Amino acid sequence: MSTILSKSPYHINLSETDLIYAEVDIYIYTGEQTVDRFATPNYTLKSTAINESLSFDIGSLVNDSIQYPADGTYRTDGAWLDYEIRKYTDDGTGPVLTTDAMVQLYAVDGYSYFSEGANFDAQKGLCLSTDTYYVPSGEVIRFPINKREAVTYKEYRNGNTDDANPDITVAFTTNNFSGQQFTYPSTSLNTVDRVQVITDDGYTNEIKIVRLDECKYEPIKLKFVNRYGAMEDLWFFKVSKLKTKVESKEYQNNQILSSGAYNTYEHQFRKYNTQARESLTVNSGFVTENMNEAFTQLLMSSKVWATYNGTELPINVKTTNIEHKTSLNDKLIQYEMEVDFAFNKINTIR
């Protein structure tokens, strides 16, 4: 079942003999598919044919309807995108109307790459950016799974290499509610060392789990929305540094008293409109080169949170470029990134 990645174009292409122009009614909504669709379309687009062909780009229209939870939970709330096309052709006597059947799609806040071509459908069950997961011992791991593609979750423990005999098997079923197309099964067991997700076409997505004991530093978790529209965790195990940047304005105070004297305890220059922003530098520790894609998607994500001092807080990634490292060129692979907390230190919310 197709899942549109709404940050990349999604084209409806028409080509028909004697085509003059076409209109498309677009319905974008959440909740139960079809049942909660509005009576009137959100958008109606019109395009004139050139050489009996035309195209509509409808992908970006859905972005504003896709929301993320504001409570720290792991959830992907996509939106239904239904469209109906009216085609007008010329039979020599004037425009003739033909209405196509309604097409129903599901959209998430993701994107495709240029190299993947137009209208790319990832068809990915396990929606992670890497096939290796580095996680602190005892911490919860969450696996973002697109139930529109995935049918089975398999968990392997204690070095079990027998694909036919997983320690746990979970079957997925789909429904028609936009907020329930993704699920996030989790585990905190250190004995789980790999997970497989089987898609409805028989393809297997597998991830290897590496548990680490970090004795010196407090690991920091960054949660971000990856290119599949799913929430993904990325742990940074080594040294982190907190910085505070303060900005303010200043004026010169008139402190002369009526006697002509002044108080040397008073400030001649006074600060006002003082505000501060905090930033954090984090280090990954040593990882394998197949983690390069995860760090790249972290940089490109528009929604990122950090768990710092036990609290999950919104951040923006300040680092804008990374050099992709390989074991051949760099031997040991480690990444450092700088992030800004996405709020003022002094509360200014009004």
Side-chain angles (χ1 to χ4, degrees), residues 99 128 212 276 320 338:
T99 302
L128 289 171
L212 297 177
T320 57
E338 188 172 0

Side-chain angles (χ1 to χ4, degrees), residues 149-176:
E149 304 289 347
V151 293
T152 309
Y153 167 92
K154 297 181 179 181
E155 196 173 282
Y156 299 86
R157 301 174 180 177
N158 297 311
N160 181 357
T161 58
D162 185 358
D163 288 352
N165 292 288
D167 293 277
I168 288 180
T169 300
V170 178
F172 299 118
T173 57
T174 58
N175 59 37
N176 293 325

Side-chain angles (χ1 to χ4, degrees), residues 50-329:
I50 299 176
N51 296 327
E52 302 178 332
S53 298
L54 57 82
S55 178
F56 296 99
D57 176 15
I58 64 173
S60 61
L61 299 178
V62 75
N63 285 335
D64 290 341
S65 298
I66 299 175
Q67 304 295 324
Y68 286 94
D71 54 6
T73 58
Y74 286 73
R75 194 170 76 242
T76 296
D77 287 347
W80 300 115
L81 193 158
D82 300 350
Y83 68 86
E84 185 179 58
I85 297 174
R86 295 186 298 276
K87 298 177 293 188
Y88 295 84
T89 56
D90 187 356
D91 66 351
T93 63
V96 177
L97 170 63
T98 304
T99 302
D100 288 352
M102 183 80 72
V103 177
Q104 296 186 299
L105 302 170
Y106 181 70
V108 296
D109 185 26
Y111 56 88
S112 61
Y113 291 143
F114 172 84
S115 59
E116 293 167 332
N119 292 3
F120 174 71
D121 186 356
Q123 295 182 325
K124 196 169 178 67
L126 180 58
C127 297
L128 289 171
S129 60
T130 178
D131 57 11
T132 304
Y133 224 160
Y134 292 87
V135 186
S137 295
E139 289 287 348
V140 175
I141 312 171
R142 295 173 179 84
F143 305 98
I145 293 174
N146 183 349
K147 294 192 295 182
R148 298 173 61 78
E149 304 289 347
V151 293
T152 309
Y153 167 92
K154 297 181 179 181
E155 196 173 282
Y156 299 86
R157 301 174 180 177
N158 297 311
N160 181 357
T161 58
D162 185 358
D163 288 352
N165 292 288
D167 293 277
I168 288 180
T169 300
V170 178
F172 299 118
T173 57
T174 58
N175 59 37
N176 293 325
F177 291 90
S178 60
Q180 299 176 23
Q181 301 302 300
F182 278 66
T183 186
Y184 289 79
S186 63
T187 182
S188 60
L189 297 176
N190 290 338
T191 53
V192 177
D193 43 37
R194 67 187 180 106
V195 160
Q196 289 183 347
V197 174
I198 314 301
T199 62
D200 57 2
D201 60 359
Y203 183 76
T204 299
N205 302 137
E206 179 172 300
I207 185 164
K208 177 183 176 183
I209 300 163
V210 180
R211 291 285 189 174
L212 297 177
D213 293 308
E214 176 53 54
C215 301
K216 186 175 182 180
Y217 301 104
E218 182 71 24
I220 293 176
K221 182 180 70 174
L222 301 190
K223 179 175 75 175
F224 67 100
V225 177
N226 64 23
R227 81 181 190 101
Y228 306 109
M231 290 183 169
E232 178 176 344
D233 292 334
L234 190 56
W235 289 88
F236 291 77
F237 290 87
K238 296 303 180 180
V239 59
S240 62
K241 298 178 181 179
L242 181 67
K243 294 188 291 186
T244 303
K245 180 180 179 181
V246 177
E247 294 181 345
S248 64
K249 295 181 180 180
E250 191 176 69
Y251 71 94
Q252 185 171 343
N253 180 41
N254 182 7
Q255 60 191 106
I256 296 294
L257 304 176
S258 58
S259 64
Y262 57 88
N263 188 345
T264 59
Y265 189 74
E266 290 285 348
H267 293 71
Q268 183 178 5
F269 293 93
R270 293 186 178 181
K271 293 169 65 175
Y272 69 101
N273 285 354
T274 300
Q275 195 47 265
R277 290 282 302 274
E278 290 183 326
S279 62
L280 193 65
T281 301
V282 294
N283 286 272
S284 66
F286 296 124
V287 296
T288 56
E289 63 185 80
N290 60 1
M291 290 291 293
N292 286 342
E293 177 64 18
F295 292 108
T296 299
Q297 290 188 31
L298 173 63
L299 260 64
M300 294 191 290
S301 179
S302 59
K303 293 282 188 178
V304 188
W305 298 264
T307 299
Y308 186 69
N309 289 335
T311 303
E312 189 171 271
L313 300 168
I315 62 170
N316 293 318
V317 178
K318 188 175 182 179
T319 300
T320 57
N321 62 80
I322 59 172
E323 179 184 348
H324 291 204
K325 299 179 180 180
T326 66
S327 56
L328 177 63
N329 295 333

